[in-house]
Amino acid sequence: MTQLPTEFPDFGLTPEQRREAVRGHYYEWPGMDGSSGEIWCYSDRFSYRPRETVTLHVSSTAPQFSIAIIRDGATETQVFEKTGLSARWQDTPDQCSVEGCGWEASFEFRIGDDWPSGAYRITLSADGRDGMPIHSHHLFIVAPLPGRKPGRLLQVAATGTWLAYNTWGGSNHYQGITGPKRDQYATMVSTQRPWCRGFVVLPEDAPRVPLEVAVPPKTVPRYPHMEWAFATGHSKKYASSGWASYDSHFFRFAERAGYAVDLASQTELHFSPEILDGYDCVVFVGHDEYWTWEMRDAVDTYVTRGGHAARFAGNFMWQTRLEDQGRRQVCYKYKARAEDPAYRGGDVRRATNSWEAPEIGRPGSATFGLNATQGVYAGWGGCAPRGVRGFPVYRPEHWAFAGTGIYYGDLLGADSHVYGYEVDGLDFEIRGGLPYPTAQSGAPDGLQVLAVGMASQVEESADIPIEDQFLTDEDGRFTAETLFGEASDANLDKVKRGNGMIVNFPRGKGEVFHAGSCEWVAGLLRQDAMVERVTKNVLDRYLGKS
């Protein structure tokens, strides 16, 4: 096993700055770089098809900029370059996170017929006010054209979650500058703004969320990823979402392993569900937390008709709604029962609450076998900081584990830390040394539990003063209120102990495999042979190769 360091990394912050890094609200905003100058950019949509036109909206302190576009896959391939483009500084509304920036179009280009489906990274460069170069990055997706795609995978990027965590402009679905005191998270967020720093590109040494430290006894856990973000000027949420931290690692792995893989955004899932019909296997990875009703309909229909869904992802939690042709995402979250119009004469099934809210009537487990309210935190803060780093395996004879040499009770992916930081689970019981979903779990018929680890919804330790807790018991109490109608101590006790699972089940003519952890991609990033083998076993079976 890999030996972990026993001390937290030092990024040069004072104790006060470390606290601000975790507890504070800091974000990117136009004008933040002052004397050095800055350049920002967003595109009119998340994704495009070949021959469609991309419109870029640029705001810059420099009068001219250059642009380079590369396809970010197993290799980086430059597809476009242009210099001497005109730019100007564009005024930005205070509530741009909610309303959109509203900048005028600056530049347009056409997607080439020969641009393969995938993620395309834009780098904008200009001269700063001090003569030093300034840069920014943007990302757009080239989605595949419709039609049958035998032998190809379709990866669906978790763009709803990217949007929910994007801090650019000051507000997202977690913290914000909305409300009368400018201290509320936004219940609506706009696609018409730049991505925050760290969502598109990251240095290789950027910390991930789960602790890579052997936490000594009676030590207050720290949050190295937030400390690093604060110290380096990246978004506080860079490690929680985005192409750079999550989706990219699966896409690059798949191409390097010889798979033909296409990429789409969740916008296609919502508005063009027929995109799935051409594929034998559709993949979802990383931190994939926010979904619309229509997105779930697309996956459920696809699997029932004979498709194969492979989800190497965690935290299936919130229902969202899309407005303005997908340019705005709505999610009231913790305020849903009090504020969401769906509870006041609307269709309550579309309420932007947890999928587990009984009034919605569509638990997350009905689509992917697992849900977040039975799982959640592992390996960070005061939630199992010394817990297992891999999945404890219970059914090693399952086809997914073929060729791994894994045994009953072994940990899958412990060295590469695939278990965390948010996991999905089910209510279960042990019979004869094997886990089975309980009758009350909501598990689909035929579901097999292959691996189970422990998780927590509550930071509870005498070692951690309340002022040093980031997670506290707020999510646990919300879950208690959602499921049982009241956030009492007694109800909290019913929900605070969670789990993370790997499961497999049939549906209709199709099948679902779900490794319910955000960090599965860490095993691919760190080239863990056993994690790679399980991933290939799933993909090969679902593509008809095995």
Side-chain angles (χ1 to χ4, degrees):
M1 296 290 285
T2 305
Q3 286 295 111
L4 296 176
T6 55
E7 294 186 1
F8 291 100
D10 183 358
F11 302 112
L13 302 182
T14 65
E16 291 74 22
Q17 288 173 322
R18 290 205 304 262
R19 184 177 297 249
E20 176 65 16
V22 176
R23 309 287 287 188
H25 180 40
Y26 47 98
Y27 49 88
E28 301 90 316
W29 46 275
M32 65 183 290
D33 289 340
S35 59
S36 62
E38 56 200 64
I39 184 167
W40 305 104
C41 159
Y42 64 92
S43 53
D44 58 325
R45 286 162 32 204
F46 281 168
S47 55
Y48 305 85
R49 303 284 176 95
R51 303 183 189 175
E52 291 184 339
T53 297
V54 179
T55 301
L56 295 185
H57 305 260
V58 179
S59 180
S60 176
T61 53
Q64 288 193 320
F65 69 97
S66 61
I67 183 174
I69 304 176
I70 64 117
R71 182 181 182 275
D72 187 358
T75 56
E76 294 192 351
T77 309
Q78 184 163 303
V79 297
F80 187 87
E81 188 174 26
K82 200 166 181 69
T83 60
L85 297 168
S86 296
R88 65 180 178 85
W89 188 253
Q90 304 209 46
D91 289 336
T92 307
D94 174 63
Q95 294 296 321
C96 61
S97 305
V98 178
E99 302 164 6
C101 290
W103 299 341
E104 292 181 2
S106 306
F107 179 60
E108 292 183 343
F109 61 91
R110 196 162 172 246
I111 304 289
D113 285 337
D114 57 345
W115 292 22
S117 177
Y120 286 76
R121 189 168 77 224
I122 301 176
T123 300
L124 281 72
S125 305
D127 291 329
R129 288 171 169 150
D130 54 6
M132 299 296 287
I134 53 176
H135 305 281
S136 69
H137 300 283
H138 185 61
L139 189 90
F140 65 91
I141 290 168
V142 174
L145 291 168
R148 184 85 186 107
K149 305 285 195 312
R152 297 187 72 84
L153 297 169
L154 179 65
Q155 179 180 341
V156 179
T159 46
T161 303
W162 299 2
L163 186 54
Y165 280 89
N166 184 15
T167 49
W168 203 92
S171 298
N172 61 13
H173 285 334
Y174 292 84
Q175 289 178 287
I177 55 171
T178 68
K181 296 181 181 177
R182 296 176 62 81
D183 62 353
Q184 299 293 305
Y185 68 81
T187 56
M188 179 185 294
V189 288
S190 174
T191 65
Q192 303 300 292
R193 55 182 171 138
W195 291 118
C196 57
R197 286 176 177 160
F199 271 31
V200 176
V201 64
L202 281 171
E204 287 186 8
D205 61 353
R208 300 189 69 78
V209 177
L211 287 171
E212 302 299 337
V213 175
V215 184
K218 301 198 173 181
T219 300
V220 175
R222 280 169 45 187
Y223 301 84
H225 67 288
M226 290 192 237
E227 294 180 23
W228 181 86
F230 191 87
T232 60
H234 284 79
S235 168
K236 183 179 182 178
K237 297 298 188 184
Y238 85 87
S240 297
S241 188
W243 172 256
S245 280
Y246 291 99
D247 311 69
S248 63
H249 300 312
F250 180 89
F251 193 83
R252 292 174 193 148
F253 156 79
E255 288 203 333
R256 286 175 186 146
Y259 294 96
V261 54
D262 295 329
L263 189 69
S265 73
Q266 284 183 309
T267 306
E268 273 83 44
L269 216 56
H270 181 96
F271 290 107
S272 307
E274 66 279 0
I275 195 171
L276 302 183
D277 295 343
Y279 296 88
D280 295 316
C281 180
V282 178
V283 179
F284 308 88
V285 305
H287 191 185
D288 190 16
E289 185 176 358
Y290 291 81
W291 283 62
T292 65
W293 186 279
E294 289 81 1
M295 294 170 192
R296 288 189 64 179
D297 279 352
V299 173
D300 289 348
T301 300
Y302 163 78
V303 173
T304 301
R305 288 176 177 171
H308 302 95
R311 180 174 158 92
F312 305 99
N315 199 20
F316 194 68
M317 182 70 187
W318 301 105
Q319 174 163 223
T320 62
R321 295 193 298 269
L322 299 184
E323 296 183 355
D324 191 21
Q325 296 176 303
R327 285 186 282 266
R328 287 195 298 265
Q329 176 171 285
V330 177
C331 195
Y332 283 83
K333 298 182 66 171
Y334 308 108
K335 305 175 185 176
R337 284 176 175 162
E339 298 183 15
D340 191 334
Y343 285 94
R344 299 192 301 274
D347 181 354
V348 74
R349 296 175 304 158
R350 301 300 183 98
T352 57
N353 201 334
S354 163
W355 286 113
E356 272 36 72
E359 59 272 22
I360 292 176
R362 196 175 191 183
S365 57
T367 293
F368 287 119
L370 304 173
N371 64 68
T373 54
Q374 294 288 344
V376 186
Y377 305 121
W380 68 307
C383 294
R386 304 176 189 91
V388 295
R389 295 158 50 86
F391 276 102
V393 172
Y394 282 84
R395 289 184 167 90
E397 71 284 355
H398 189 271
W399 56 260
F401 302 131
T404 62
I406 203 163
Y407 291 83
Y408 175 87
D410 279 357
L411 294 179
L412 170 64
D415 279 354
S416 57
H417 206 163
V418 302
Y419 188 79
Y421 72 101
E422 293 178 338
V423 296
D424 288 341
L426 281 176
D427 191 37
F428 73 99
E429 58 194 9
I430 297 288
R431 300 198 306 267
L434 291 173
Y436 296 87
T438 63
Q440 301 79 37
S441 67
D445 290 344
L447 180 138
Q448 272 197 308
V449 180
L450 312 182
V452 186
M454 295 163 75
S456 176
Q457 293 221 27
V458 172
E459 280 190 295
E460 54 176 0
S461 169
D463 299 341
I464 313 177
I466 187 68
E467 64 269 17
D468 288 322
Q469 293 185 15
F470 175 69
L471 298 166
T472 68
D473 65 359
E474 289 181 7
D475 283 332
R477 290 195 184 274
F478 170 74
T479 298
E481 190 271 333
T482 299
L483 297 181
F484 303 112
E486 186 183 358
S488 64
D489 289 349
N491 287 336
L492 178 65
D493 192 61
K494 297 176 187 175
V495 303
K496 68 184 183 183
R497 290 170 284 270
N499 61 82
M501 291 182 171
I502 301 176
V503 299
N504 174 224
F505 61 95
R507 175 184 293 117
K509 296 178 181 177
E511 190 175 329
V512 175
F513 179 93
H514 186 181
S517 170
C518 293
E519 288 295 302
W520 186 270
V521 294
L524 306 178
L525 169 65
R526 293 164 178 162
Q527 298 183 317
D528 185 318
M530 201 177 279
V531 174
E532 289 182 341
R533 182 60 192 260
V534 173
T535 307
K536 291 176 181 178
N537 285 346
V538 175
L539 301 181
D540 290 348
R541 176 183 171 94
Y542 285 180
L543 289 170
K545 294 181 178 181
S546 63

